[in-house]
Amino acid sequence: MVKLNSRILNFAHNANPQLFKLIIEFSYTTYSIVGSTHSRFESNRLLNELSKSGRVDEARQLFDKMLVRDEFTWNTMVAAYANSGRLSDATQLFSETPIKTPITWSSLISGYCRHERETEAFRLFWQMQIEGQMPSQFTLGSVLRLCSMLGLLQRGEQIHGYTIKTGFDSSDFVLTGLVDMYAKCKHILEAEYLFGMSPDSKNNVMWTAMVTGYSQNGECFKAMKCFRAMRSEGVESNQFTFPGILTACAAVSAHGFGAQVHGCIVRSGFGANVFVQSALVDMYAKCGDLASAKTALENMEADDVVSWNSMIVGCVRQGHLEDALILFEKMHARDMKSDSFTYPSVLNSFAVLKEIENAKAVHCLIIKSGFEAYVLVANALVDMYAKQGNLDWAFRMFDLIQDKDVISWTSLVTGYAHNGSHGKALGLFCDMRIAGIDLDQFVVASVLSACAELTVLEFGQQIHANCTKFGLQSSLSVDNSLVTMYAKCGCIEEANRVFDAMRVRNVISWTALIVGYAQNGRGRDSLKFYDKMIATGTNPDFITFIGLLFACSHAGLVENGRTYFKSMDKVFGIKPGPEHYACMIDLLGRSGKLKEAEGLVNQMTMEPDATVWKALLAACRVHGNVELGEKAAKNLLELEPFNAVPYVLLSNMYSAAGRWEDAARVRRLMKSMGISKEPGCSWIEINSQVNRFMSEDRGHPRTAEIYSKLDEIMILIKEAGYVPDMNFALQDMDEEGKEIGLAYHSEKLAIAFGLLTVPPGAPIRIFKNLRVCGDCHTAMKYISRVFLRHIILRDPNCFHHFKEGNCSCGDYW
């Protein structure tokens, strides 16, 4: 009698399939001649060997030729079909089985569970009981695994109830399945309770389920505590335990604990397991220990794309973008297949490094490998092109995405906002809401930023309401954006209310309020908030000092400004940049200390940029220092020869000094070079509609009313003492023409419209793209007093709050 084992069967099948068939025939013939119980046992053993080795068709051939089949024979064949995924064959054979035992049912149910066929699996589970068969612990384990895989909490709870009713809840096998099910269904407290109620003899599978459950539910410190208890109980960890605890260490950057786990891995002999190695690479990379991550990666016996992805992501997060790209090149050189997680990190590196040509090459590779259709990769392409400033390509990639998610929309909206296309960003946001996409904190922060730049307060208030509705107000980035938005829209009290309601604040929060108060003409309040910030232990940053020095400049606090400027480097180790020097020069210039301002320019450790020379030129224009102004203008024109600002400032300075010929020469030079001053534009938002005005604009539907109101305004403020300042009028006109031209400046048209439309008692908010002219500034003060209105005018420099004939800016012109 020939006895066969799986090694012989596998060798015969691989060497010669025809020989394999003859062996089966011979074996079966031999068994059938004997025709005894022993021969049936040998047939079943051979059938089992074939099934376990995956030779399902050969097993079926043997099954069909067996003259005598017992319970084991039928169950083995049903299980063979079910485990291999041939569920229709398994079901057909199951229906033919003469005697169905709990094992038969369990074999079929297990196959449906393994292949995530929820409906059929549970139908069979309940039918089994109807037909009087009691599920075994293995049947229950199969359906609980299905609940774990698919997150079927309600189904799992039903199974839990059944285990209590039948007493199976005392089985370690079933209890482990319940712990795993609750953990995977995000009900970690229930899993924790069952784990605590289990007998003292917990096995490593149950411990692993609990450690992994804590890790997957964000309870990382509990995962570490559980792992430590597992070790103290003397329970050995395995290749499933280690990845779970390493993931927990990675999530909270517990580098020290992770290193100790690494030691356990080495001692336990699992250091060569690819899943454990991959988790080690990920843990070290997320903890910022790129050297250890690289060592772990190099020690891997086989290349694993997940591990390489973790290493690339780690490099990107730590700012080692070039290293990330080098790793990607090595992957490509090793013929490793990149996946949908590799490309986003690589594209993010290109976005930051501005390497558009290499990025396009990788884009071609993505198209070639078919990953462009993956939403994760497509979103990264949108983000990359948007950050490169290539909005056309960003929109093209966005348009190709079939199932756009919130990340797709956020990438595009943020791209437009960061590239200055704020109106387009708001339009896309509206399209996003129409498409039914829910908000997240990133898109809200970007849209609020766009609202701040466009100063569309009502739109920003609507976003704020949406934040409250969706619970996003607790996000630090959203709160910071709200503070900035309200401050830039002139609502500094509302900005303060948002700030006071914040549970968590960082330097950005404090800086937003400090800058906001400074821009709204409340410099002393800026300084008070700076002192409060320092008292909380929050250190200022580069931007904070810009806000502080701006506040000192507009409040005339020269000595405070000097102190803050010196403290930057000496106290906080922040090297002053051109922006800080420009603020200091503006501060000194406003106080008439032009010599000191010039000396500060000469002391700069870096070359003065355009902002520095612009600040000095503006100060010279105000104080009539033509000689120094000419020097500043010369340097500014060298840096920005095609910018109209230095020409206009120089021309105005000559006009104020009565040097009309020089002023005309500058204007002729501008004309000959094809340089034109940006046209002034003012706008006011009424009922979510933005109304724009240009100088002497007659395109508004209510033009007649606006000009009539403006004529009334000019009469009343002249009676109150207003005198037009001809220095701000076009010089190639007669006196009457100059006065009419001044009267119809864009900001005056906007204020006339505001007086017609804004209810009494409400502030009138006007915004201008250029600095408000001195004549309009004076007129606004008179208008606020004559009409008893609070007028808020924002220009690129600051907010002007006009109340009772005064302005918050300090009247520096």
Side-chain angles (χ1 to χ4, degrees):
M1 182 105 179
V2 179
K3 292 188 176 181
L4 305 176
N5 59 35
S6 58
R7 291 180 66 185
I8 295 173
L9 288 171
N10 286 331
F11 173 77
H13 184 273
N14 294 330
N16 191 327
Q18 191 64 34
L19 175 63
F20 175 82
K21 190 172 182 181
L22 289 172
I23 290 174
I24 295 297
E25 294 278 357
F26 174 73
S27 302
Y28 178 72
T29 302
T30 304
Y31 297 151
S32 57
I33 290 171
V34 176
S36 64
T37 302
H38 181 70
S39 67
R40 187 170 68 251
F41 172 79
E42 289 296 334
S43 297
N44 282 340
R45 189 181 64 79
L46 177 59
L47 184 71
N48 189 44
E49 292 286 357
L50 288 168
S51 300
K52 286 184 177 179
S53 63
R55 315 298 189 200
V56 180
D57 290 332
E58 288 85 347
R60 182 59 194 252
Q61 291 174 20
L62 177 58
F63 175 85
D64 289 340
K65 291 179 180 180
M66 291 176 66
L67 300 177
V68 181
R69 302 171 186 146
D70 59 12
E71 178 184 311
F72 180 86
T73 312
W74 287 95
N75 290 344
T76 300
M77 197 65 232
V78 170
Y81 276 133
N83 290 337
S84 64
R86 293 168 63 171
L87 298 175
S88 58
D89 291 333
T91 304
Q92 177 63 36
L93 192 62
F94 175 84
S95 66
E96 297 170 4
T97 304
I99 301 176
K100 299 179 181 67
T101 67
I103 296 175
T104 321
W105 284 92
S106 185
S107 298
L108 186 61
I109 291 169
S110 177
Y112 277 106
C113 289
R114 180 175 298 182
H115 293 89
E116 300 183 6
R117 300 277 291 274
E118 173 195 353
T119 304
E120 295 91 335
F122 280 100
R123 179 181 58 77
L124 287 166
F125 178 74
W126 301 124
Q127 186 181 344
M128 172 185 186
Q129 297 168 65
I130 291 170
E131 296 193 11
Q133 298 286 353
M134 186 174 183
S136 68
Q137 62 175 336
F138 303 107
T139 315
L140 294 170
S142 294
V143 292
L144 284 171
R145 274 195 301 274
L146 177 63
C147 294
S148 297
M149 288 187 293
L150 300 182
L152 306 174
L153 176 64
Q154 190 174 4
R155 292 280 199 185
E157 288 173 331
Q158 291 174 352
I159 302 302
H160 188 184
Y162 179 83
T163 64
I164 295 172
K165 180 180 177 182
T166 55
F168 275 112
D169 59 330
S170 61
S171 162
D172 285 350
F173 185 81
V174 174
L175 197 58
T176 300
L178 285 168
V179 169
D180 184 60
M181 182 275 295
Y182 278 117
K184 294 272 176 57
C185 290
K186 306 299 181 185
H187 278 240
I188 192 65
L189 292 178
E190 286 85 344
E192 189 177 61
Y193 174 78
L194 289 172
F195 180 78
M197 293 295 291
S198 64
D200 293 335
S201 57
K202 301 182 183 77
N203 57 33
N204 67 343
V205 180
M206 190 182 296
W207 280 99
T208 297
M210 200 65 235
V211 169
T212 304
Y214 279 132
S215 178
Q216 291 174 340
N217 283 272
E219 299 281 0
C220 300
F221 292 106
K222 284 189 176 182
M224 288 186 272
K225 184 179 178 181
C226 187
F227 179 79
R228 188 182 287 115
M230 177 183 179
R231 301 289 295 178
S232 66
E233 290 285 331
V235 180
E236 288 297 324
S237 307
N238 59 26
Q239 69 269 30
F240 304 105
T241 320
F242 289 123
I245 186 60
L246 288 171
T247 299
C249 294
V252 293
S253 298
H255 180 271
F257 197 98
Q260 292 178 33
V261 174
H262 191 177
C264 294
I265 291 168
V266 174
R267 288 193 296 273
S268 301
F270 287 100
N273 182 276
V274 67
F275 298 108
V276 175
Q277 289 176 322
S278 181
L280 273 171
V281 174
D282 183 64
M283 183 275 294
Y284 280 124
K286 286 180 177 173
C287 289
D289 186 355
L290 296 181
S292 296
K294 185 178 179 182
T295 301
L297 184 69
E298 290 172 346
N299 288 337
M300 293 185 71
E301 295 180 3
D303 287 332
D304 172 58
V305 69
V306 176
S307 306
W308 282 78
N309 286 347
S310 298
M311 192 70 207
I312 290 172
V313 171
C315 289
V316 172
R317 286 179 175 172
Q318 294 293 315
H320 300 284
L321 305 178
E322 292 85 356
D323 292 338
L325 297 179
I326 289 170
L327 283 167
F328 176 70
E329 289 174 4
K330 286 182 178 179
M331 283 183 71
H332 200 55
R334 292 186 180 200
D335 289 329
M336 293 177 65
K337 291 185 177 180
S338 303
D339 61 15
S340 59
F341 298 99
T342 315
Y343 289 117
S345 297
V346 173
L347 291 169
N348 187 44
S349 299
F350 286 132
V352 177
L353 294 172
K354 307 294 183 186
E355 292 190 13
I356 189 64
E357 293 305 319
N358 288 331
K360 286 181 177 178
V362 172
H363 187 178
C364 292
L365 187 62
I366 290 169
I367 295 171
K368 184 179 178 181
S369 56
F371 280 104
E372 195 179 32
Y374 286 68
V375 175
L376 192 65
V377 177
N379 288 344
L381 283 166
V382 173
D383 182 65
M384 184 273 293
Y385 281 118
K387 285 178 178 175
Q388 296 272 17
N390 195 334
L391 297 177
D392 289 340
W393 268 96
F395 190 83
R396 192 178 301 180
M397 293 299 102
F398 173 82
D399 213 30
L400 291 174
I401 300 174
Q402 294 295 319
D403 299 313
K404 299 176 179 67
D405 58 15
V406 66
I407 299 173
S408 317
W409 287 93
T410 299
S411 298
L412 194 64
V413 170
T414 302
Y416 275 101
H418 287 179
N419 283 280
S421 298
H422 305 296
K424 181 67 174 176
L426 297 187
L428 283 166
F429 176 77
C430 292
D431 292 341
M432 171 185 166
R433 300 297 293 132
I434 292 169
I437 304 295
D438 289 334
L439 305 177
D440 70 3
Q441 58 180 317
F442 303 106
V443 73
V444 167
S446 294
V447 171
L448 287 172
S449 174
C451 290
E453 294 304 318
L454 293 176
T455 57
V456 283
L457 176 63
E458 291 181 25
F459 198 102
Q461 289 172 323
Q462 291 174 20
I463 302 299
H464 190 178
N466 274 296
C467 289
T468 304
K469 179 180 178 181
F470 289 98
L472 293 173
Q473 71 274 20
S474 60
S475 161
L476 181 60
S477 62
V478 170
D479 284 339
N480 287 342
S481 297
L482 280 169
V483 172
T484 302
M485 185 274 293
Y486 279 118
K488 286 193 173 183
C489 288
C491 301
I492 192 62
E493 288 81 9
E494 188 60 38
N496 204 342
R497 275 192 285 272
V498 174
F499 179 85
D500 287 341
M502 292 173 68
R503 296 178 182 177
V504 180
R505 303 183 185 112
N506 59 10
V507 64
I508 298 173
S509 319
W510 288 97
T511 298
L513 204 61
I514 289 168
V515 172
Y517 271 106
Q519 289 180 328
N520 281 274
R522 295 172 60 176
R524 294 183 184 276
D525 288 321
S526 286
L527 273 54
K528 289 178 184 177
F529 275 100
Y530 174 75
D531 292 337
K532 289 181 181 179
M533 181 184 81
I534 297 300
T536 65
T538 305
N539 284 334
D541 64 10
F542 193 90
I543 307 297
T544 312
F545 280 106
I546 294 177
L548 271 179
L549 295 174
F550 185 92
C552 292
S553 175
H554 284 255
L557 304 172
V558 178
E559 200 54 46
N560 295 76
R562 290 189 182 116
T563 301
Y564 291 132
F565 186 74
K566 290 176 183 176
S567 72
M568 286 183 65
D569 192 10
K570 290 184 178 180
V571 179
F572 299 103
I574 300 172
K575 297 291 182 184
E579 301 93 337
H580 302 102
Y581 279 101
C583 286
M584 278 301 296
I585 289 162
D586 185 64
L587 168 61
L588 296 170
R590 285 172 178 265
S591 304
K593 302 179 185 299
L594 294 181
K595 275 291 182 185
E596 187 178 345
E598 183 183 12
L600 187 61
V601 173
N602 295 331
Q603 292 170 17
M604 286 179 66
T605 55
M606 76 283 292
E607 282 296 317
D609 69 359
T611 58
V612 172
W613 292 116
K614 203 176 293 181
L616 185 60
L617 177 56
C620 292
R621 183 188 67 79
V622 170
H623 294 288
N625 191 328
V626 177
E627 183 181 351
L628 183 56
E630 288 176 328
K631 177 183 175 182
K634 179 183 177 184
N635 284 281
L636 184 54
L637 288 170
E638 288 178 359
L639 292 171
E640 297 181 345
F642 296 100
N643 187 346
V645 172
Y647 296 96
V648 173
L649 287 174
L650 186 59
S651 175
N652 290 343
M653 183 173 64
Y654 283 139
S655 297
R659 293 171 56 173
W660 308 113
E661 185 54 42
D662 289 329
R665 176 176 53 81
V666 173
R667 290 197 296 273
R668 286 196 300 270
L669 179 61
M670 279 183 67
K671 189 174 181 180
S672 67
M673 294 180 67
I675 300 170
S676 59
K677 178 185 174 184
E678 181 184 357
C681 175
S682 299
W683 62 95
I684 179 171
E685 185 183 8
I686 303 293
N687 297 326
S688 299
Q689 293 292 321
V690 176
N691 298 266
R692 298 182 183 277
F693 299 93
M694 307 288 283
S695 184
E696 301 186 40
D697 193 347
R698 295 184 181 273
H700 196 278
R702 299 179 65 178
T703 292
E705 292 177 81
I706 293 168
Y707 274 83
S708 177
K709 186 66 176 179
L710 188 52
D711 290 339
E712 176 195 340
I713 291 169
M714 299 309 294
I715 291 169
L716 292 174
I717 65 174
K718 282 180 181 178
E719 289 175 357
Y722 161 74
V723 177
D725 188 343
M726 298 303 177
N727 287 322
F728 294 94
L730 295 175
Q731 298 302 318
D732 52 353
M733 290 185 178
D734 57 22
E735 290 302 306
E736 184 180 355
K738 289 179 182 179
E739 186 171 340
I740 292 173
L742 286 173
Y744 298 150
H745 275 191
S746 64
E747 49 266 65
K748 292 191 180 82
L749 293 171
I751 192 63
F753 182 68
L755 288 170
L756 287 169
T757 55
V758 177
I764 300 173
R765 303 175 187 278
I766 301 169
F767 308 93
K768 189 176 180 185
N769 63 330
L770 302 178
R771 188 170 182 178
V772 61
C773 86
D775 177 74
C776 287
H777 188 271
T778 302
M780 293 290 178
K781 291 199 294 183
Y782 279 99
I783 294 169
S784 70
R785 188 172 69 191
V786 169
F787 289 88
L788 302 176
R789 301 300 293 264
H790 178 195
I791 301 169
I792 305 171
L793 189 152
R794 176 189 166 184
D795 65 16
N797 191 41
C798 68
F799 274 96
H800 303 267
H801 288 260
F802 299 97
K803 282 184 178 180
E804 300 176 355
N806 296 308
C807 182
S808 61
C809 73
D811 293 344
Y812 175 66
W813 241 260

